[in-house]
Amino acid sequence: MSPLTLEELVAYFAHAQADDRAYREIDFVRLIDELGLESANALRHEIVAQLAGGRRLQVIQAELAA
């Protein structure tokens, strides 16, 4: 799977979140900035699965940072 650009990752994560769409694109920009583009690409399937399951973005960030 080829790596995505920042813009593509933001769109990917934004569309993958639970139906309530609680997060804006800027929230995902911050997440990717914190993780780094390479790491965000490497973890995208895991992150998307958690978002789709309704997991809070802050919990995902905290777990990935730990």
Side-chain angles (χ1 to χ4, degrees):
M1 181 180 302
S2 61
L4 301 178
T5 66
L6 173 64
E7 294 81 9
E8 291 169 329
L9 271 177
V10 168
Y12 191 86
F13 291 153
H15 290 290
Q17 65 182 313
D19 292 334
D20 62 0
R21 303 274 182 215
Y23 302 104
R24 299 173 299 150
E25 289 185 355
I26 190 66
D27 298 317
F28 295 109
V29 170
R30 290 182 184 127
L31 171 66
I32 295 165
D33 186 52
E34 185 175 309
L35 292 175
L37 187 59
E38 188 175 323
S39 294
N41 265 298
L43 295 170
R44 80 176 127 158
H45 289 295
E46 181 180 338
I47 295 168
V48 166
Q50 291 183 36
L51 289 169
R55 196 121 196 240
R56 293 182 47 91
L57 186 59
Q58 292 84 355
V59 172
I60 296 169
Q61 285 176 300
E63 287 179 344
L64 292 172

